[in-house]
Amino acid sequence: MRIKTKILWTLLGTSILVAIMGVLAVNRQHATALAGAVKEAEDVARAMGFTLMSDANKLSPAAQEIVVRLHQTQHRDVVLVDKNQLILADAIPAEIGQVFATDPEDQVGATLKDRRVRTFVEVSKDYPSGIKQIVVPIESETGQVLGAVILEYTPIYDELMLTAKTTTHQIILTAFGCFTFAMLISFYMGRSIVRPLEQLTSVATGFASGRTDLPMPTLRKDEIGELVVSFGLMVQKRQQAENDLRCLRDDLEVRVAERTAELAQVNEALQVENSKRKQAQESSQASEEKFLQLADNITDAFWITSPDLKKIYFISAAYQQIWGRSIEGLYADPHQWVNSILPEDRERVFAMFSALMGTELQVSVEYQIIRPDGVIRWIHDRGFQVRDAAGNILRLAGIASDITERKRIEETLRASETQFRSFFEQAAVGVAQVSPDGRFLLANQRYADIVGRTREELQTCTFQEITHPDDLAKDLDSVRQLLTGEAQAYSSTKRYLHKNGDPVWVNLTVSLIAECAGQPRHFLAVVEDITDRKRLEAQLFQSQKLETVGKLAGGIAHEFNSIMTAIIGNSELMLSDLPSANPLYKNAKEIRHSAERAAALTRQLLAYGRKQSLQPEILDLNSVLVGMEDTLRHLLGRGTNLLLVPAPALKTVKADVGQVQQVIMNLAMNAADAMPHGGKLTLETANVTLDQEYVRSIPELKAGEYVMLAVTDTGTGISEKVRARLFEPFFTTKEVGSGVGLGLSTCYGIIKQSGGHIGVYSELGRGSVFKIYLPQTEQLVKSPAPGSTSFDLPHGTETILLVEDDPDLREMVTALLKRLGYTVLVAANGIEALNIKQQRKAGYIDLLFTDVVMPHMGGKELSERILASSPHTRILFTSAYTANAVVHQGVLNNGVALLQKPFTPSALAHKLREVFDAIPQTTS
C-alpha cells in the first residue's frame, strides 16, 4: 500500500472515530433522559404508595388531588390503579372506577404480576419524545403488590431529548469538518512528500542495476533533502569501492598462484590420509558386520530409531521371530510396532516412550503384543537415548525381550503362592514363621486362635513370652539344636499360655528354613491344639484309675463278705442259742450289728467296683422320687427346701431300685452338707437325647435316648481341683470321722454298672448340679409281688453238697444247715467236691451250694460237671458277685439262683426252700 493511501485512510479513520464517539454521547444522553423519566415515575409511585398502604378505597380522594395538581402545574398525566387495574385516580375524573383501557400491550397487567418497571415507546405527534407511558408497581412493606402508577406523559424526557438533538447536529458538522481537513492534508502530503520519494526510488532502482549517472531530486531543506544528500554520498563510495576491487583482483591472482602450489602439497597429504581413512572404514565395516552378526543371533530384538520414533534405522532378526512380522514391513511402516501392542497396553507404552523422547534418559516397560497368527506374547522393552557431544538426541536405541515364558512361570508361581496362602489361611492347624530370635514374622488365623491373640499382637511378641514357663527350657534347648545343626526339625508336646491365662496343650513341629549360604532365615512352626484330647485323656485316665481302684475294692469286698457272712451267721446262731437275759446275748447282738454295718460298707465297695450283682427291674424315676420324698425331707431338715420337678410322660429305665435310692440318698446328703445354713435342693427329671457331639467327650456313653435325673443345690459349690477327684474312693473334703469318702464313688459305680453316666457342674459360691443319665426303655413298670411274713426258719431233710473256700464261713454254714435238718457234705474247693461226688457214686445229692469264685475251679464249672453226671441236682450260687455278672455286666442269667453275700441264716434257710420247692429245671 502506498504512503499517500495510508495517510488518506488514517485521516478518514480519525474522522469516523470522532463521529462514533459523538453517536455514543447522544445515546448516553438518551439513556440518561430515560433513566430520569423512570426515576420520576418511581418517585411519583412512591408518593402514591403511601395512599394505598392500608385501604385503597378510603384514600382515593387524596390520590386524586395529587394527580390533578400534577396535571395542572407540571402537565404530567398520572393514573393510579389498584391490583385489579381499576382506576383509583386520574386527571379525568370520569375515568375513576373504570378499568384502565389505554394499554394495548397489557403493560400494567405484566407489571402487577412480576413487579418490574415497564416503558411503552411510541414516537408520534402527541409524544415527540417517544415515551407514551411508564408503569411502576406499588408494593407494601411486606412485599405485597397494592397497585401501579402510570405516567402517560413525561416532559423532562422531552427536554433532555431536545438537548440531545442539538448535540447530534454539532457532531455531524464536526465530522464533516474533519473529513474536509483530512482531504486537504492528504493532497498537501502527496505534493510535498510522495513525489520526491518516488523520484528517489527510481534513482535507487537504477543504482541497484549498476547505473550511477541518473538525475537526483532537487535539494530541499528537510528530511527528503537530507535523504538525497546521503544517497549521493553512497554513490560516490560505491565508485571508490569499484576502484579498490580492481586493485584487489590483481593482488588476488598473485596469491591464487601461490596457494595453488600449496594445495598440491596438501592434496598429496590428503591422499595419504584417505588411504588411512579407507583402512579405518574397512575396520569399522568389519566391526559393523560383527555387530550385525551378534544382533541377528541373539534372541532379543535390538532396535535403533529416530528421536521421534517415526523412522526405523535398524532392527535385529529376532523381531521377526518374536513379533511374527517381516523386518521389511517394519522398515516400510514403523506403525506396525504400535499396532501389534494390545489396545489395553498402548496408552501406557506410548506414555513411556514419549518420556524417552523428552527428558527421560532410559525407560523400561512390559506389554503384550498379538502376532498375526493370534498368539499373544509378553515383551520387556528397554530404551535409552543416544546423544552427541553437545547433548542433543541423535537417536533412540533399545532391546526388546520375549518374556512370555517368564510370565508363565510367574503366573504359575503366583497360583502356587495363592494355593499356599489358601492352605496357610484355611489350615486346621496353626502355622507360623518365627525369626531365629523368637519373634513372630507371620502366623495364620488358626495359630492366633489357639493362643488367644490377634495376628497383630503376635507380631509384637516372641514365642518365649507365650510358652508355659515349665516348658520353656525344653523348647529353647530344641531351638538351640536346630541353630547349631544338631537337628533339622523337632516335635514336642508343650503348653502355650492363652491370653486369658489358661494353658493350651499343643503338638508342636518346628523346622529350620535356611538361606542358600546356610544362614538361618526363619523357623516354620506347625501347632495342633490337643487341649480337648488332653482333657479326654485325663478323663480316660481318671476312668481307668477308678476302674482299677474299683476292681481292687471289689476284690477286697468279696473276701470281706465271706468273713462278714461267717460273723453274721455265727452271731445269729448265738442269738438263737442264748436267752435274752444272758449277758452274752447283748454282746452277740452288738457283734451282729457291727457286722451288718461292715456288710453295708462292702456293698458300697462292690457297687463302686461294679462287682455287685444287680437285680434290675423296670423303674419310673418319678415314682422313686415320690416314694423317697418324706425320707428326704426328714434327712434335709427344716432349713432346706426340697423341690421335686417330675417330667410328664417320663420314660422308664432298667436299674436296681435299691441302688438308685442309695445314689439319690448319697447326693441328697452331700447337698445337705454343702448347705449348712439351709438352701434349696431341686430334683428334676427329663427325657433327653444325647447326640454324637455331646457323647464324644464321655467315652462310656453312646448317643441315644436317656432319662436324666438332675440334683441341684444352692450350696457352697465345688472347686475345679476337687471336681477332678470327686468320684475317687476314700477321697473326702470332710473332717476326719465325718465320712469315709465312698458316697460319690459308690454313686459313680452304681450308675456306670447300670449303663449310665453321672457328671457334675459347679462353681464356687454358686451351688452344684449333678446330672445322671440312664438309658430309656419302652417296657412298663411291673407291680411288686407280695412278700413272705413268716419269721420261722424253714427246715428240710435233703442232702446238700457245700463248697466254700473260706473255712470260717464253711464251718458256720455247715452248722446252720445241720440245725435245719439237712444232710451236709462239705468241700473246700471244686476238685474236692468232685472227689466227694465220685466217692458216693450213685449216692443222691439234692443240691449243690457253692461259691462262684474259688481257687482251682470256679463254681460255674463245678456246677456244669455235677449236672453232667447228676442232672436232677439243683444249684444254688453264693458270692458277692458272679461270673455271669462279670460277663453280662452284672445281670444274672435266667434260671440261675444266687444268694448274695453276706447273708443271714434266715436268708439262707428261705433261699434253700425257694430252690427246693421250685419246679425242677435243667441247667446247661
Side-chain angles (χ1 to χ4, degrees), residues 165-473:
K165 288 181 178 180
T166 303
T167 303
T168 302
H169 294 158
Q170 293 174 354
I171 289 173
I172 293 172
L173 292 175
T174 302
F176 179 76
C178 289
F179 177 76
T180 303
F181 179 74
M183 295 298 294
L184 293 174
I185 292 299
S186 299
F187 179 76
Y188 169 75
M189 293 182 69
R191 293 279 299 177
S192 61
I193 297 176
V194 174
R195 183 174 295 175
L197 288 176
E198 289 177 347
Q199 294 177 354
L200 190 58
T201 301
S202 177
V203 173
T205 303
F207 181 74
S209 62
R211 299 179 60 185
T212 59
D213 56 349
L214 295 174
M216 300 293 291
T218 304
L219 293 176
R220 297 167 52 179
K221 294 182 180 180
D222 56 8
E223 289 81 356
I224 301 298
E226 293 177 358
L227 182 61
V228 172
V229 172
S230 298
F231 192 78
L233 292 175
M234 185 177 64
V235 172
Q236 293 176 2
K237 288 182 179 180
R238 176 176 177 176
Q239 292 174 348
Q240 181 66 34
E242 288 178 351
N243 294 331
D244 293 340
L245 285 174
R246 292 187 188 98
C247 295
L248 288 174
R249 183 187 62 186
D250 296 338
D251 185 53
L252 182 60
E253 288 177 353
V254 175
R255 291 186 180 183
V256 165
E258 295 175 352
R259 289 295 180 187
T260 302
E262 292 177 359
L263 287 174
Q265 296 177 358
V266 172
N267 185 38
E268 185 178 355
L270 285 175
Q271 290 179 356
V272 175
E273 184 178 352
N274 285 337
S275 177
K276 294 180 179 178
R277 183 176 297 173
K278 184 176 181 180
Q279 293 177 357
Q281 187 176 1
E282 291 175 353
S283 176
S284 174
Q285 186 176 0
S287 298
E288 185 177 353
E289 290 177 356
K290 290 181 180 179
F291 165 75
L292 292 176
Q293 185 177 7
L294 177 63
D296 290 340
N297 287 279
I298 62 175
T299 57
D300 298 334
F302 182 76
W303 53 266
I304 302 175
T305 70
S306 61
D308 57 0
L309 294 174
K310 294 182 178 180
K311 185 175 181 180
I312 304 296
Y313 292 150
F314 176 78
I315 184 71
S316 65
Y319 170 81
Q320 190 164 336
Q321 298 176 358
I322 298 174
W323 265 260
R325 304 173 188 269
S326 66
I327 295 176
E328 294 76 12
L330 182 63
Y331 279 124
D333 183 13
H335 285 285
Q336 282 188 3
W337 170 72
V338 178
N339 295 335
S340 65
I341 301 174
L342 292 186
E344 57 265 27
D345 291 344
R346 286 179 189 170
E347 184 177 354
R348 176 173 54 86
V349 176
F350 186 76
M352 294 293 290
F353 280 95
S354 296
L356 183 63
M357 291 186 287
T359 58
E360 292 291 334
L361 298 179
Q362 59 183 7
V363 296
S364 177
V365 62
E366 294 181 357
Y367 54 89
Q368 298 178 82
I369 64 169
I370 181 167
R371 292 162 50 100
D373 57 5
V375 176
I376 296 177
R377 290 185 178 275
W378 273 96
I379 305 298
H380 180 204
D381 212 340
R382 291 144 292 174
F384 52 89
Q385 299 175 348
V386 179
R387 296 176 178 264
D388 59 13
N392 299 317
I393 301 177
L394 295 178
R395 63 186 65 89
L396 302 179
I399 298 175
S401 305
D402 185 354
I403 59 170
T404 305
E405 182 63 18
R406 192 189 79 187
K407 282 290 185 180
R408 185 190 65 79
I409 295 174
E410 288 177 354
E411 183 63 26
T412 303
L413 290 175
R414 191 177 300 109
S416 177
E417 182 180 355
T418 302
Q419 185 177 7
F420 170 77
R421 174 65 61 181
S422 176
F423 163 77
F424 181 79
E425 294 297 339
Q426 300 178 11
V429 295
V431 183
Q433 290 181 354
V434 184
S435 66
D437 59 355
R439 291 179 297 103
F440 284 96
L441 304 176
L442 184 65
N444 66 354
Q445 188 58 45
R446 177 57 181 157
Y447 195 104
D449 294 340
I450 289 174
V451 298
R453 291 168 173 82
T454 64
R455 294 185 180 186
E456 293 73 16
E457 290 173 338
L458 279 177
Q459 291 181 347
T460 62
C461 63
T462 63
F463 81 88
Q464 295 94 327
E465 295 174 10
I466 65 173
T467 299
H468 195 283
D470 295 343
D471 299 338
L472 184 58

Side-chain angles (χ1 to χ4, degrees), residues 5-194:
T5 305
K6 290 182 179 180
I7 294 172
L8 178 60
W9 278 109
T10 301
L11 293 175
L12 288 175
T14 304
S15 301
I16 293 171
L17 181 62
V18 171
I20 290 172
M21 292 178 63
V23 172
L24 292 176
V26 171
N27 289 338
R28 182 177 180 184
Q29 286 188 347
H30 276 280
T32 302
L34 181 60
V38 172
K39 180 65 169 58
E40 178 187 19
E42 289 179 346
D43 292 342
V44 173
R46 192 176 296 108
M48 292 297 183
F50 289 109
T51 66
L52 297 177
M53 286 301 176
S54 58
D55 190 347
N57 296 325
K58 293 181 180 180
L59 298 178
S60 294
Q64 177 64 25
E65 184 179 353
I66 294 173
V67 169
V68 172
R69 287 185 180 181
L70 287 173
H71 179 72
Q72 294 174 353
T73 60
Q74 300 183 14
H75 304 288
R76 287 169 169 78
D77 291 333
V78 180
V79 179
L80 178 63
V81 298
D82 62 8
K83 59 184 178 181
N84 296 319
Q85 299 189 31
L86 296 178
I87 298 175
L88 301 178
D90 196 343
I92 304 173
E95 299 290 336
I96 296 176
Q98 299 181 7
V99 177
F100 183 75
T102 59
D103 186 11
E105 296 183 4
D106 195 20
Q107 296 284 338
V108 176
T111 298
L112 291 174
K113 289 180 180 179
D114 58 15
R115 307 176 186 179
R116 293 175 55 188
V117 177
R118 280 180 169 76
T119 60
F120 180 72
V121 179
E122 180 182 6
V123 179
S124 64
K125 179 179 179 181
D126 296 332
Y127 302 100
S129 63
I131 296 181
K132 182 178 181 181
Q133 66 182 20
I134 298 176
V135 182
V136 181
I138 301 175
E139 297 179 3
S140 66
E141 294 180 355
T142 60
Q144 181 179 3
V145 176
L146 302 177
V149 173
I150 301 102
L151 272 72
E152 294 188 347
Y153 180 68
T154 309
I156 187 172
Y157 185 74
D158 290 342
E159 295 172 2
L160 291 172
M161 291 305 300
L162 291 175
T163 304
K165 288 181 178 180
T166 303
T167 303
T168 302
H169 294 158
Q170 293 174 354
I171 289 173
I172 293 172
L173 292 175
T174 302
F176 179 76
C178 289
F179 177 76
T180 303
F181 179 74
M183 295 298 294
L184 293 174
I185 292 299
S186 299
F187 179 76
Y188 169 75
M189 293 182 69
R191 293 279 299 177
S192 61
I193 297 176
V194 174

